[in-house]
Amino acid sequence: MADKRSDRIKYKLLKSLDISGFTVFDPMVRLAFAEEPKKQVKSIFRFLIVPIIFVFACIGLWWQVAPNHKTKSGEVPTPDVVWRSAVNNDTFSNREKTKESDFLLEGPEREEALAVVESTILEREATLETLRTKLSGHESDYAELLESQLAPLQAKLDTLKERNDELEAVAKEAVSAAAAAIEAGTGTPQELLEAMRKQNEIKDNSRESEGMYKDQIDAIRSEKYKPLEQARMQVNTVADEVQFLKKRTDFLSDSNRSVRVAEAKEKLAENLKSLEEATTAKKAETEAKKVLRSEASIERLENQQYASAMTIYTQIKRSLFTVFVGFITAAIIAIPLGVLCGLSPIAMACLTPVISIFKPVSPVVYLLIFQIVVGAFFPDPDSHPFFLFINSLPFIGGLAVNPALVFSACTVAACAVWPALVNTALGVASIDGDHINVARVLRLGFWDRLVKIIIPSALPLVFAGLRISLGVGWMVLIAAEALSSSDGLGKFVWDEYQNGSSLSFANILYACFVVGSIGFLLDRMMIVLQRLVSFDGKGTSL
C-alpha cells in the first residue's frame, strides 16, 4: 500500500514537472524514490551539475574580464556591482512605500514615528561623522601610497622630457639652418626635407617614449585602493540613509497630509471668524470667497495621495500590463482568422499576400504608424474620457495608462499576431481526416464540428503559436517602450542609457536580467497552458 502511495506521489511530481516544462529535474525526483540510483545520479551530473558549473564559470570569466575592459561610460560592471544595482533598486522601491506610509500617517502614530526617525537621524549622523574620519585617514594613506609609486616614474618622465626637449631643439635648429641655407643659395630642398623628416622622427620617438611612462602613471592612478573604496561606499551609504531619514521627517511633519489638512482647517476657522466680524458688504464678500477657497483646499488635501516615483517594480507591472493587452488583442484577431484560413482555401489565398507583406515589417515602423493613427483619436489625452475612465479603475488606474501605452500595446499586437495566425491555420488545416469523417457520419452541424472537433484538435498548434507570439511581443515591447517613452522596462533602460551615471551600465545589465527572467516565466506559463490543453502526450521543447 505504501509503495503504491509513494508511486502515486512520484508520478504526480513527474507529471507536474512535465506540465511546467522542467523535466530536467526528473532524475532528482526519481532518485528521491530510489528508482535506478546510478542512472539518476549520472543524469543529475550531466544535466544539472555540469550546466551549473558552466554558469559559474561564465560568471567567473565575467568577473575577471569586466574590470579590464574600459568604455566611455567607465568599466564594465562586475557581477557584484550588478547585484548592488538590484539591491539599490529594491531599496528605492521600499523607501517609496515608506514615504507613502509616512505621508498618510496621522495622530499619535505620526508623532511616534516622527520621534523614532529624529532619534535615528542623530544616531546615524554620529556614525557618519566617525566614518568620515576613517575616510580621511584612508585618503591620506592612499595619497602617500600614490606618491611613493608615482614619484620614481614622474622623475624618470621629467628627465626624459628634458632630454627630448634638447633633441627637439637641436632638430629645430637644423631645420632653420637648412631653410636659411636655401635662402643664401648654399643649401638644397632635399637637405631641408631630410632635416624636417629627422625632426618629425625625433618628435614621434619623444611622444612614444614619454607615452610609456604616462601609461604606467595612468594605470597606477586607475588602480582601486580597496580600503578607500570601501570607506567611501560606507560613507555614501550612511549619508544616503541620513538624507532619506530627513525626507521622512518632512513627510511626517510639514508635508504630511493630516498636518496640512489641520493647517487648512485652522485657516478656515480664521476666515470664518473674519467673515463673522465683517461690517461692510465688500469685506463680507472678500472673506466669504476666502472661506470657499479654504473649504475647497481642505477637500483637495483630504483626497490627496502620495505621488510615488516610478520604481522598477512599477515599471515591471506596467510592461506586463502592456504586453498582455497587446497579446490578447493579437490572439482575438489571430485565432478566428486562423480558423477561417484553415477551413477555407480561398480565405487562405486571400490572406497569404497580406501575411507575407506585413509579417516581416519592423516593429519601429508599426510604432510610428500607430503613433500617427492612434494619436489622432486622442487630441487631449489628459482630459479624454477613455483615459479618465481607464485610470479610474482599480489596479489599472495606478499604472497611469496614456497614449504611449496604447502605441506600445498596438505595436506588440501588430508583431505578435502573425505567429498565432499561421499556427492556428496550420493546426486547423492539418486535422486528421478521420475526425472529419466521424463528424460527417454523426451529421454534426458546422458549429458542433467547430467546437467539438476542429478547435480541440487544433489546440496544441494554436497554443504553440500563442507561445511564440507572447515571446515576440515581450521582445518587441522593450524596444517600443524605449522609443515611445512609455513607462516600463524599455523606458527604464533608455533613461539609464541617457543618464550616464556611474551605476547606469549596471542598471542596464540588471534590467537585462529582469527582462530575460520575466520572458522565461512567460514562456513557462504558456508551456503549462499548452500542456494542459494537449492530449497527444508529446513533450514540450525547452
Side-chain angles (χ1 to χ4, degrees):
M1 185 68 185
D3 290 339
K4 290 182 180 178
R5 185 181 178 187
S6 64
D7 285 345
R8 284 200 298 271
I9 295 172
K10 181 179 73 173
Y11 288 123
K12 282 183 179 178
L13 290 172
L14 292 175
K15 180 68 175 176
S16 301
L17 292 174
D18 179 55
I19 291 175
S20 60
F22 289 105
T23 52
V24 69
F25 296 109
D26 278 8
M28 297 182 70
V29 174
R30 295 183 188 279
L31 181 63
F33 288 90
E35 178 184 328
E36 300 180 288
K38 288 185 179 179
K39 181 182 176 182
Q40 307 311 330
V41 169
K42 189 177 178 181
S43 297
I44 290 171
F45 178 78
R46 291 173 61 190
F47 300 114
L48 276 177
I49 304 298
V50 172
I52 289 173
I53 293 172
F54 175 75
V55 170
F56 276 101
C58 290
I59 293 174
L61 182 64
W62 174 13
W63 218 308
Q64 292 297 321
V65 172
N68 300 321
H69 187 70
K70 310 284 184 183
T71 68
K72 291 181 180 178
S73 302
E75 292 180 358
V76 175
T78 51
D80 62 322
V81 179
V82 176
W83 174 253
R84 193 161 66 242
S85 166
V87 173
N88 288 343
N89 278 286
D90 183 65
T91 303
F92 177 71
S93 177
N94 291 332
R95 286 181 175 180
E96 283 300 303
K97 291 179 182 175
T98 304
K99 286 193 283 188
E100 182 179 10
S101 173
D102 292 342
F103 175 76
L104 299 175
L105 274 180
E106 54 187 34
E109 291 183 350
R110 181 188 67 80
E111 294 173 0
E112 185 179 345
L114 180 60
V116 171
V117 170
E118 288 175 341
S119 172
T120 309
I121 287 177
L122 294 176
E123 292 176 6
R124 300 310 289 165
E125 283 182 336
T127 306
L128 181 61
E129 194 59 34
T130 305
L131 291 174
R132 281 177 174 159
T133 304
K134 288 183 181 179
L135 175 62
S136 299
H138 286 303
E139 286 176 341
S140 301
D141 294 341
Y142 178 62
E144 290 178 6
L145 178 65
L146 202 62
E147 180 63 24
S148 64
Q149 291 178 336
L150 293 180
L153 290 172
Q154 190 63 47
K156 291 179 181 178
L157 179 61
D158 294 340
T159 305
L160 183 63
K161 278 184 176 178
E162 290 178 5
R163 194 184 69 184
N164 289 337
D165 290 343
E166 291 174 359
L167 290 174
E168 289 180 13
V170 171
K172 187 177 180 182
E173 289 177 1
V175 171
S176 299
I182 291 176
E183 185 178 1
T186 57
T188 62
Q190 287 73 21
E191 290 175 346
L192 176 60
L193 289 172
E194 186 61 30
M196 293 182 74
R197 289 193 186 99
K198 192 170 183 180
Q199 183 188 26
N200 292 336
E201 184 180 353
I202 289 172
K203 285 182 178 178
D204 291 340
N205 292 335
S206 299
R207 281 197 292 268
E208 185 178 354
S209 57
E210 291 174 13
M212 291 174 60
Y213 285 108
K214 288 178 180 176
D215 289 343
Q216 291 180 31
I217 291 173
D218 290 340
I220 291 173
R221 288 185 186 279
S222 64
E223 285 180 1
K224 292 181 179 177
Y225 183 57
K226 287 188 177 179
L228 179 61
E229 293 289 325
Q230 290 175 352
R232 280 178 179 164
M233 192 179 298
Q234 289 176 344
V235 167
N236 292 336
T237 302
V238 178
D240 182 58
E241 187 180 353
V242 170
Q243 187 179 9
F244 167 66
L245 290 170
K246 289 181 177 177
K247 194 68 181 173
R248 282 194 66 189
T249 305
D250 182 49
F251 279 110
L252 287 166
S253 53
D254 296 340
S255 298
N256 182 268
R257 186 173 69 175
S258 63
V259 172
R260 296 180 67 185
V261 170
E263 291 174 351
K265 287 182 177 177
E266 288 179 7
K267 191 174 180 181
L268 174 62
E270 293 174 1
N271 292 333
L272 285 170
K273 186 178 180 183
S274 299
L275 179 60
E276 291 174 357
E277 294 173 351
T279 55
T280 64
K282 186 176 181 181
K283 179 71 175 174
E285 186 178 347
T286 303
E287 294 302 326
K289 288 180 179 177
K290 289 182 181 178
V291 169
L292 293 177
R293 282 200 295 270
S294 296
E295 288 177 348
S297 175
I298 290 171
E299 184 179 357
R300 178 177 56 79
L301 288 172
E302 285 178 340
N303 295 322
Q304 187 178 13
Q305 298 297 322
Y306 175 71
S308 176
M310 271 285 180
T311 64
I312 185 69
Y313 301 119
T314 310
Q315 308 271 28
I316 291 172
K317 289 178 188 174
R318 206 168 188 276
S319 289
L320 285 172
F321 176 73
T322 308
V323 78
F324 274 109
V325 169
F327 171 70
I328 292 171
T329 304
I332 291 173
I333 297 171
I335 292 175
L337 283 178
V339 172
L340 178 64
C341 291
L343 292 175
S344 169
I346 297 175
M348 176 67 87
C350 293
L351 284 175
T352 296
V354 177
I355 297 171
S356 302
I357 292 173
F358 290 104
K359 184 182 174 185
V361 174
S362 167
V364 178
V365 177
Y366 281 127
L367 178 66
L368 296 176
I369 291 172
F370 285 121
Q371 279 187 336
I372 296 170
V373 175
V374 180
F377 292 99
F378 309 113
D380 186 10
D382 293 334
S383 59
H384 197 278
F386 173 75
F387 292 112
L388 293 177
F389 170 72
I390 293 294
N391 288 319
S392 66
L393 296 175
F395 305 109
I396 300 175
L399 298 175
V401 178
N402 56 16
L405 187 147
V406 179
F407 306 151
S408 302
C410 289
T411 306
V412 169
C415 296
V417 72
W418 311 114
L421 195 157
V422 172
N423 275 269
T424 303
L426 179 64
V428 172
S430 59
I431 294 174
D432 194 335
D434 292 340
H435 294 171
I436 303 298
N437 291 333
V438 170
R440 287 173 181 162
V441 170
L442 296 175
R443 296 184 178 180
L444 295 178
F446 173 76
W447 291 108
D448 284 336
R449 274 190 288 166
L450 183 67
V451 174
K452 297 178 180 177
I453 303 291
I454 296 172
I455 291 179
S457 300
L459 271 182
L461 273 175
V462 172
F463 270 88
L466 291 175
R467 180 185 169 193
I468 298 171
S469 292
L470 187 56
V472 170
W474 183 244
M475 286 191 292
V476 167
L477 174 69
I478 304 304
E481 286 178 337
L483 293 175
S484 66
S485 296
S486 173
D487 284 319
L489 286 170
K491 188 171 183 295
F492 175 82
V493 172
W494 181 251
D495 288 344
E496 290 299 327
Y497 175 74
Q498 300 281 39
N499 187 4
S501 71
S502 57
L503 275 178
S504 291
F505 203 167
N507 281 332
I508 292 173
L509 287 178
Y510 166 59
C512 179
F513 282 104
V514 171
V515 171
S517 301
I518 293 175
F520 171 76
L521 292 176
L522 291 176
D523 188 63
R524 293 295 103 174
M525 181 189 73
M526 291 306 297
I527 285 179
V528 172
L529 290 176
Q530 184 180 352
R531 294 293 297 142
L532 289 175
V533 301
S534 296
F535 51 84
D536 52 5
K538 293 180 180 178
T540 50
S541 59
L542 291 174

